[in-house]
Amino acid sequence: MRLSILLQAAGVAGLLSQAAHASGLPAFEQLDINRDGITTEAEIRDWIGALHAGLDTDGDGRLSVREITAGGHDAATAEAIVSNNDLDRSGHLSVDELSMLLPVLFGMADKNRDAILERAEYDAALSTLPRR
Ligand SMILES: [Ca+2]
Ligand SMILES: [Ca+2]
Ligand SMILES: [Ca+2]
């Protein structure tokens, strides 16, 4: 069970990492929405919401494999991301499905368990993610 959670987390982390790289923006600044130099889980949740909205080109509130592919992922990766995270087997990812593993990912990155990601923690977490 724990292994499958980690595999799912890896899939979501890959999506987020690729999105961060594809955007060409420094990921930490992108996540630190209120520019206070730290990143909270709520900020990342907002960012995932924005990511989801940005990829949801037909505006139906869910991501299809095609929409994820159009966002710059190859088809196999997109299908894996959807199938690994599509809890209700709808064939699409809702924003809830996309963000459900955030607490797990955040907990993995927040090494000192203060519910805040500082730049060093974030950079350390990003460096463990797959890159293009
Ligand atoms: Ca912040
Ligand atoms: Ca859609
Ligand atoms: Ca921390």
Side-chain angles (χ1 to χ4, degrees), residues 14-73:
L15 176 62
L16 300 183
S17 170
Q18 289 189 18
H21 290 298
S23 73
L25 292 172
F28 188 87
E29 280 76 4
Q30 207 177 0
L31 292 174
D32 182 17
I33 291 168
N34 67 358
R35 298 277 182 267
D36 62 355
I38 58 173
T39 296
T40 61
E41 191 172 321
E43 282 179 319
I44 300 177
R45 195 172 290 279
D46 286 349
W47 183 79
I48 291 174
L51 169 67
H52 189 281
L55 289 173
D56 180 22
T57 48
D58 68 3
D60 68 351
R62 40 188 218 162
L63 297 184
S64 63
V65 169
R66 196 154 49 129
E67 285 170 332
I68 295 172
T69 306
H73 298 79

Side-chain angles (χ1 to χ4, degrees), residues 67-91:
E67 285 170 332
I68 295 172
T69 306
H73 298 79
D74 62 63
T77 303
E79 278 173 25
I81 289 168
V82 171
S83 65
N84 287 343
N85 299 288
D86 181 19
L87 284 187
D88 62 4
R89 298 283 163 226
S90 66

